[in-house]
Amino acid sequence: MSDDAEVTAPAYPTAETTEQFAENIRDVRQRIDAAARRAGRDPEDVRLLPVSKTVPEERLRLAIKAGATFLGENKVQEALRKSENLADIPDLRWAVIGHLQTNKAKFVARFASEFHALDRLKAAEALQRRLEIEDRTLDVYVQVNTSAEESKFGLDPDAVDGFVAQLPAFDRLNVVGFMTLAIFSSDEERVRSCFQTLRSLRDRVCDLAPGGLRPEKLSMGMSGDYEAAVEEGATTVRVGQAIFGSRSVPDSYYWPNPTDGTDA
Ligand SMILES: *Cc1c(COP(=O)(O)O)cnc(C)c1O
């Protein structure tokens, strides 16, 4: 962490009622809209994806009542459990936004509408095979490591063209865009530069259209940095704590060091 050690996460109050959820969602939405307008963008081009990891199903029901209809989860098993326990809610959809171990692809193929962390062919192959079995398709974002931090999953920016060019072979995957996690830093310029890297990479890939693909969407920005992300072109922001409240589980549980993984 070294020079980023001074970063302390702000405390977000825990939403406990439908009204509090509605308020938090409204507040985040207004900030998104304002950021979009500052950048000369149409606020309607930015989607708010509430990230519900660690939040139990009872509280999710309140958030859903307050208007959340699409939820993001980092871990497949946690998402699967919640999708089953909330299966009575019509039209609720799920995005898996965390690293995928290939042996969990079968679950993602079953319940998820989106996957935001595609960063290797092995995962694409596993998803394709399982989606064929389920006779489904999946919207996917290619994850890029824009911060050059070892603790982040995602492709090296230089590897993206070659990777994307191979994706048309997987006809069950709709390659819709790119995803990144910015550096965790109080230096806003360094955070912004991660978002700018993703945007210019997207522009370049869409110009080249490798394999005929034009993945135009940008999934970037979380509770601490989503306004900057919107100013830099995000089309989806993934916001957890600012809606649900601070998490007690450390982020390292959700973002393990990829070099420690057994299935990287
Ligand atoms: C948890 C998580 C988020 C949301 O982070 P918050 O700080 O709760 O807004 C966004 N993206 C990914 C990949 C996550 O795991």
Side-chain angles (χ1 to χ4, degrees), residues 109 128-137 172:
Q128 169 76 22
R129 196 165 58 241
R130 291 297 176 167
L131 287 160
E132 283 171 5
I133 293 169
E134 302 289 334
D135 194 18
R136 293 186 73 225
T137 59
R172 298 283 168 155

Side-chain angles (χ1 to χ4, degrees), residues 51 53 74 97 179 181 222-223 238-241 247 254-255:
V51 174
K53 65 193 189 204
N74 186 294
I97 61 175
M179 178 274 220
L181 290 159
M222 342 197 305
S223 292
R238 310 176 307 269
V239 177
Q241 297 178 91
R247 279 185 300 274
Y254 285 96
W255 304 322

Side-chain angles (χ1 to χ4, degrees), residues 32 46-50 220-221 226 229-230 234-239:
I32 291 170
V46 187
R47 178 181 62 152
L48 168 59
L49 176 64
M220 57 189 197
Y226 67 87
V230 170
T235 60
T236 289
V237 293
R238 310 176 307 269
V239 177

Side-chain angles (χ1 to χ4, degrees), residues 32-51:
I32 291 170
D33 294 357
R37 286 195 201 96
R38 281 197 297 280
R41 303 183 57 207
D42 183 348
E44 297 208 352
D45 291 341
V46 187
R47 178 181 62 152
L48 168 59
L49 176 64
V51 174

Side-chain angles (χ1 to χ4, degrees), residues 12-29 32 48-52 55 59-60 62-64 66-68 70-71 222-223 226 237-247:
Y12 300 98
T14 302
E16 304 279 9
T17 65
T18 303
E19 185 42 48
Q20 284 167 352
F21 276 113
E23 232 176 85
N24 289 354
I25 291 171
R26 206 181 310 125
D27 178 62
V28 172
R29 188 66 241 183
I32 291 170
L48 168 59
L49 176 64
V51 174
S52 51
V55 180
R59 286 181 58 231
L60 284 186
L62 304 178
I64 292 161
F70 209 137
L71 297 173
M222 342 197 305
S223 292
Y226 67 87
V237 293
R238 310 176 307 269
V239 177
Q241 297 178 91
I243 293 174
F244 294 96
S246 296
R247 279 185 300 274

Side-chain angles (χ1 to χ4, degrees), residues 34-124:
R37 286 195 201 96
R38 281 197 297 280
R41 303 183 57 207
D42 183 348
E44 297 208 352
D45 291 341
V46 187
R47 178 181 62 152
L48 168 59
L49 176 64
V51 174
S52 51
K53 65 193 189 204
T54 76
V55 180
E57 284 89 335
E58 313 83 75
R59 286 181 58 231
L60 284 186
R61 287 185 185 274
L62 304 178
I64 292 161
K65 270 206 195 108
T69 55
F70 209 137
L71 297 173
E73 286 279 341
N74 186 294
K75 286 197 183 277
V76 175
Q77 238 123 354
E78 183 178 344
L80 175 67
R81 187 196 76 223
K82 289 175 180 174
S83 73
E84 288 173 352
N85 291 341
L86 297 171
D88 58 297
I89 297 171
D91 303 326
L92 181 60
R93 298 207 288 157
W94 298 91
V96 172
I97 61 175
H99 181 72
L100 177 68
Q101 294 179 311
T102 47
N103 62 359
K104 309 242 170 73
K106 57 177 178 287
F107 303 122
V108 174
R110 224 174 272 162
F111 76 87
S113 300
E114 293 183 1
F115 175 54
H116 288 224
L118 186 66
D119 63 359
R120 62 207 208 290
L121 286 177
K122 243 177 84 181

